Amino acid sequence: MSNAMTLPVIEGWKGWIIVILLPLLGACSALRVTYDQGPLLSYWWLDRQVDFNGEQAPRVRAALNDWFAWHRATQLPDYAQALGEAAALVRGDLSPTQVCGQFEAWQRRAERAFERAVPSAAEHLRSLSAAQIHRLEEHQADKLQEVQKELLQPDPAERRAALLKTWVERAERLYGRLDDTQRAQLAAGLAASPFDAARWLAERRARNQALVRALRRWQADQADQATVEADVRRLAAEMENSPRPDYPAYARRVRQANCTLIAQLHNGTTPAQRRKAAEQLLAWQADFRALADKADPR
């Protein structure tokens, strides 16, 4: 399956890898163009958050070029194969277990990509100045405020409508237009979901604060490479399994509810919608294969 159909299932530092690598869920041609521009787009995304100086910028660009070259050559063939398998799956009914299995498989792919990035990321994080850390902190706060406006409207009816709109848009990128019955099914599933936007935002805020504290500690202590790498991995692990009481159990409930809702939606689709979903997944597969074929043979 794809991340087109639910609120982010893969979050945090591993999540940004998925966001960069799978801007998929638009026109097929856009995927190839976006991936080819991946190092530049990733640099811009990072630079907006910290404003790299003249010494940092070329090193960051070089590191992104190296990472994307590795990823293109070693990971895209696996992505292509996975999309082909998903295309076969969506032709039949799906169970919640199958849906969660697909998400878990993409989580493992994200972990491989993340692990490859850790040494370089640690090197560049160590070089951030106090001003850059402050800029990142402000950027995170601004982004959380934007998300809060999107997810926590004062009117509960508006909140439910906005969440439904997001799910419908993502589902329709895969299946095509949903009918009224399918939309109603989604609305009922979302109404019953344990997802709590305020709780999710509070967790995101705590994660952001943990990162900023770590950055300031690394700078104050002039932490060495090994220390920062270990801390980066620890922070990433905490994003997968929060140290906040009860949040891991809550996250598991939300994930299971999402998998169940996606399976229910899929099982209510028409043969034509399933064909469209399979065709879309195969188109993305073709894109990944074409991109992998362009890998540098060195």
Side-chain angles (χ1 to χ4, degrees):
M1 299 293 292
S2 73
N3 65 342
M5 301 191 49
T6 182
L7 290 171
V9 175
I10 303 173
E11 301 180 31
W13 294 4
K14 297 172 186 177
W16 75 258
I17 292 175
I18 293 296
V19 170
I20 289 172
L21 297 180
L22 305 181
L24 322 158
L25 314 174
C28 297
S29 59
L31 171 57
R32 299 192 195 191
V33 172
T34 302
Y35 190 91
D36 279 337
Q37 295 297 315
L40 179 60
L41 296 175
S42 301
Y43 175 82
W44 286 345
W45 183 76
L46 294 167
D47 188 50
R48 281 196 299 271
Q49 299 183 58
V50 298
D51 189 20
F52 294 118
N53 61 35
E55 182 179 349
Q56 294 165 330
R59 296 205 304 267
V60 172
R61 289 178 187 271
L64 287 168
N65 284 330
D66 288 346
W67 186 89
F68 269 89
W70 164 83
H71 188 269
R72 182 190 293 264
T74 66
Q75 305 302 296
L76 291 191
D78 173 59
Y79 290 13
Q81 180 177 343
L83 288 167
E85 294 168 357
L89 281 178
V90 299
R91 296 182 187 277
D93 283 353
L94 292 173
S95 69
T97 299
Q98 286 176 303
V99 175
C100 278
Q102 287 292 308
F103 283 131
E104 289 163 5
W106 283 102
Q107 178 79 39
R108 291 191 292 272
R109 293 181 180 95
E111 288 169 357
R112 288 196 295 271
F114 173 80
E115 181 58 32
R116 174 73 180 197
V118 166
S120 178
E123 176 186 349
H124 299 302
L125 289 169
R126 292 176 61 216
S127 77
L128 295 182
S129 67
Q132 289 173 316
I133 296 170
H134 180 67
R135 179 186 175 97
L136 174 62
E137 185 177 27
E138 290 186 329
H139 177 85
Q140 290 178 329
D142 289 344
K143 294 302 292 184
L144 271 184
Q145 190 170 24
E146 290 177 14
V147 174
Q148 182 169 333
K149 289 179 180 178
E150 294 173 1
L151 294 180
L152 284 176
Q153 298 90 336
D155 184 345
E158 289 183 5
R159 193 181 304 176
R160 290 192 297 269
L163 186 59
L164 176 61
K165 181 174 182 288
T166 297
W167 275 71
V168 168
E169 287 176 349
R170 291 175 176 178
E172 288 186 338
R173 290 174 189 167
L174 194 61
Y175 294 110
R177 182 167 179 78
L178 301 184
D179 62 28
D180 290 344
T181 300
Q182 291 165 334
R183 290 169 181 252
Q185 181 186 44
L186 261 182
L190 291 171
S193 171
F195 176 69
D196 181 341
R199 189 172 188 177
W200 183 76
L201 284 165
E203 176 68 15
R204 288 286 298 272
R205 186 172 292 107
R207 293 175 184 181
N208 289 349
Q209 291 168 349
L211 171 59
V212 170
R213 285 196 300 270
L215 287 166
R216 289 184 170 139
R217 185 177 70 252
W218 298 337
Q219 187 200 42
D221 295 347
Q222 296 185 331
D224 60 23
Q225 178 76 12
T227 297
V228 177
E229 285 188 27
D231 279 350
V232 167
R233 292 187 176 96
R234 176 184 56 78
L235 288 168
E238 290 180 356
M239 290 176 180
E240 301 300 330
N241 192 29
S242 172
R244 264 68 64 183
D246 301 327
Y247 195 86
Y250 158 76
R252 286 192 295 271
R253 290 195 301 273
V254 172
R255 179 178 293 222
Q256 184 59 49
N258 285 345
C259 293
T260 298
L261 182 53
I262 291 169
Q264 290 173 346
L265 172 65
H266 174 81
N267 294 342
T269 55
T270 66
Q273 287 173 318
R274 295 186 189 192
R275 284 195 300 272
K276 185 179 188 308
E279 290 167 359
Q280 181 65 84
L281 291 165
L282 290 173
W284 291 331
Q285 179 191 54
D287 280 343
F288 279 130
R289 283 177 172 167
L291 289 163
D293 287 344
K294 295 169 60 179
D296 190 332
R298 292 177 294 176

